[in-house]
């Protein structure tokens, strides 16, 4: 399951980066998405969230809302890195980490 | 390719007229209301839900995307009104008005916008009312909910502009639907006199403004509120 979610996040990230001409070198768990040194600005994060929610719905058959009360108030943002986002999606879809 | 149009509040009144209008143009229309559908057409799908039920809204948007792949146009039409003096307005009824008119519009806007962001195109039309600029007595909660819708419209137009999505609002003056059926005729006539053109609006008058906002040529028109009947903002 983790691998499926990882693939979803990477697929979403590649598509957003391609759209915005952002260079993406071998992305992985530690890739910083947002914040200092991050790949995306706030508009990029908005686009990524929309893309990933759609991929989760298509590939996992589940509706998830990534920007929910929990994620917006978390001390460590689930949008900070690829790994954090994968963990958060697994939590939302009820999978054990 | 025919456009996919999502209209809320399609069981009767303006929403029903809008749904029929877009079906006549060959669009695929998805509509909703708490009650059943009054439209039978091969290109129409009805969802029975309350627009303020987040889970149901998510499920509807997902189902529309699964069937049609996209949402080109969102018409946030569903709305309720309740005429009452401020001091006689139950808290529950104030909440219900905001839940339907404002939070319902917000939920559909948020979820449809995500689909439109992926397409880098989309048209969203929200529904306000002349009750807002005219600050009508007896309509404090209704007008306040529409003020919130207008604010949402203006800010959403800025936040969604980078994705090629326009967000506008139409503010009808009175249209003879169930929404105003309970208002005494004398009050309605007094209201019509406050417009530049002293008559009820027809559903066609509303459709005309909506057509302008959703036209593919209106890509540079966003964040606008258009009132009918010559009422100023
Ligand atoms: N008519 C006017 O004079 C006038 C003037 C200015 C602005 N407007 C605005 O125009 C819009 C349409 O008004 P209208 O006159 O067509 O009203 P209407 O005839 O009363 O119809 C309202 C529609 O919305 C649906 N609806 C209401 N609450 C809902 C909810 N919680 N969830 C899902 N659907 C809901 C109703 O179906 P169910 O009851 O089955 O749910 C119905 O299909 C509203 O936003 C209104 O504020 C109307």
């Amino acid at each position: 399951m983790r691998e499926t979610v990882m693939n979803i996040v990477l697929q979403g990230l590649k598509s957003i980066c391609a759209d915005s001409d952002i260079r993406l070198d071998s992305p992985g768990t530690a890739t910083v998405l947002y914040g200092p040194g991050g790949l995306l600005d706030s508009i990029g994060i908005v686009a990524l969230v929309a893309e990933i929610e759609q991929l989760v719905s298509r590939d996992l058959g589940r509706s998830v809302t990534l920007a929910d009360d929990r994620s917006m108030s978390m001390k460590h943002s689930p949008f900070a890195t690829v790994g954090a986002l994968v963990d958060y999606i697994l939590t939302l879809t009820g999978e054990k980490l | 390719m025919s456009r996919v149009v999502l209209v809320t509040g399609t069981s009767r009144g303006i929403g029903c007229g809008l749904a029929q209008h877009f079906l006549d143009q060959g669009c695929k229309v998805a509509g909703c209301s708490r009650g059943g559908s009054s439209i039978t057409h091969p290109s129409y799908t009805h969802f029975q839900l309350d627009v303020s039920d987040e889970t149901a809204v998510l499920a509807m948007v997902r189902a529309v995307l699964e069937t049609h792949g996209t949402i080109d146009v969102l018409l946030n039409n569903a709305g309720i009104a309740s005429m009452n003096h401020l001091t006689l307005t139950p808290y529950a009824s104030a909440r219900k008005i905001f839940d339907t008119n404002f939070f319902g519009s917000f939920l559909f806007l948020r979820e449809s916008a995500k689909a439109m962001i992926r397409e880098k195109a989309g048209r969203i039309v929200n529904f306000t009312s002349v009750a807002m600029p005219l600050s009508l007595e007896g309509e404090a909660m209704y007008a306040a909910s529409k003020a919130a819708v207008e604010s949402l419209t203006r800010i959403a137009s800025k936040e969604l502009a980078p994705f090629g999505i326009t967000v506008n609002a139409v503010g009808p003056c009175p249209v003879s639907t169930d929404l105003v059926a309970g208002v005494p005729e004398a009050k309605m006539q007094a209201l019509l006199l406050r417009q530049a053109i002293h008559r009820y609006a027809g559903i066609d008058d509303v459709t005309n403004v909506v057509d302008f906002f959703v036209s593919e040529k209106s890509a540079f028109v966003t964040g606008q509120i258009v009132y009918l009947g010559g009422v100023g903002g």
Side-chain angles (χ1 to χ4, degrees):
Chain A
M1 183 67 169
R2 174 175 284 277
E3 204 182 312
T4 312
V5 173
M6 182 74 178
N7 284 338
I8 286 175
V9 172
L10 292 181
Q11 192 185 332
L13 182 61
K14 280 176 192 157
S15 138
I16 299 305
C17 288
D19 275 0
S20 316
D21 290 328
I22 296 169
R23 221 181 100 181
L24 189 60
D25 295 324
S26 46
T29 313
T31 301
V32 180
L33 295 174
Y34 190 62
L39 285 169
L40 304 173
D41 59 8
S42 58
I43 297 288
I45 285 289
V46 168
L48 182 68
V49 166
E51 185 70 22
I52 289 178
E53 284 185 2
Q54 159 68 7
L55 293 172
V56 168
S57 168
R58 192 193 68 188
D59 296 353
L60 304 182
R62 298 280 300 270
S63 285
V64 291
T65 303
L66 293 180
D68 63 2
D69 289 345
R70 208 165 21 146
S71 64
M72 299 320 269
S73 60
M74 277 165 76
K75 209 167 140 202
H76 301 290
S77 167
F79 305 110
T81 62
V82 166
L85 189 51
V86 170
D87 287 348
Y88 194 62
I89 295 169
L90 286 169
T91 309
L92 285 180
T93 51
E95 290 293 321
K96 288 216 164 65
L97 295 180
Chain B
M1 227 178 63
S2 68
R3 293 168 106 188
V4 179
V5 182
L6 196 164
V7 190
T8 65
T10 46
S11 61
R12 57 177 187 273
I14 298 170
C16 182
L18 284 166
Q20 295 282 4
H21 171 74
F22 285 98
L23 287 167
D24 289 348
Q25 290 185 11
C27 298
K28 291 166 190 136
V29 177
C32 66
S33 63
R34 290 164 301 178
S37 170
S38 59
I39 302 170
T40 41
H41 189 288
S43 299
Y44 178 78
T45 320
H46 193 78
F47 294 80
Q48 208 167 331
L49 56 78
D50 188 313
V51 291
S52 63
D53 176 345
E54 183 180 17
T55 308
V57 172
L58 253 74
M60 175 177 171
V61 170
R62 186 173 158 211
V64 173
L65 291 174
E66 273 172 11
T67 310
H68 300 302
T70 186
I71 296 169
D72 299 303
V73 175
L74 166 67
L75 307 178
N76 254 329
N77 159 84
I80 54 170
S82 150
M83 276 205 78
N84 227 338
H85 191 276
L86 195 51
T87 59
L88 304 177
T89 300
Y91 183 50
S93 109
R95 292 290 292 248
K96 186 76 202 147
I97 291 174
F98 266 80
D99 278 348
T100 306
N101 298 0
F102 177 69
F103 288 109
S105 297
F106 159 68
L107 286 174
F108 271 100
L109 187 151
R110 188 187 73 188
E111 293 309 312
S112 303
K114 287 178 193 170
M116 292 172 178
I117 282 171
R118 294 192 294 271
E119 300 296 323
K120 302 222 167 19
R123 297 275 183 272
I124 296 173
V125 182
N126 292 327
F127 278 68
T128 179
S129 163
V130 296
M132 205 307 276
L134 293 176
S135 299
L136 294 181
E137 303 95 316
E139 307 221 7
M141 287 306 126
Y142 178 67
S145 74
K146 294 301 191 181
V149 166
E150 291 190 14
S151 191
L152 176 71
T153 302
R154 291 197 182 94
I155 294 175
S157 74
K158 293 182 182 172
E159 292 192 3
L160 297 177
F163 304 104
I165 302 165
T166 67
V167 190
N168 294 286
V170 57
C173 54
V175 185
S176 288
T177 66
D178 285 0
L179 192 90
V180 295
V183 183
E185 187 52 28
K187 268 205 180 316
M188 294 308 287
Q189 289 302 327
L191 171 52
L192 297 184
L193 286 175
R194 296 176 70 174
Q195 302 170 190
I197 306 169
H198 311 303
R199 69 158 170 87
Y200 281 90
I203 290 181
D204 284 356
D205 295 309
V206 182
T207 310
N208 179 45
V209 177
V210 170
D211 272 343
F212 168 65
F213 283 147
V214 307
S215 158
E216 283 175 13
K217 289 183 183 166
S218 295
F220 208 45
V221 179
T222 195
Q224 303 304 304
I225 317 287
V226 171
Y227 301 111
L228 289 173
V231 173

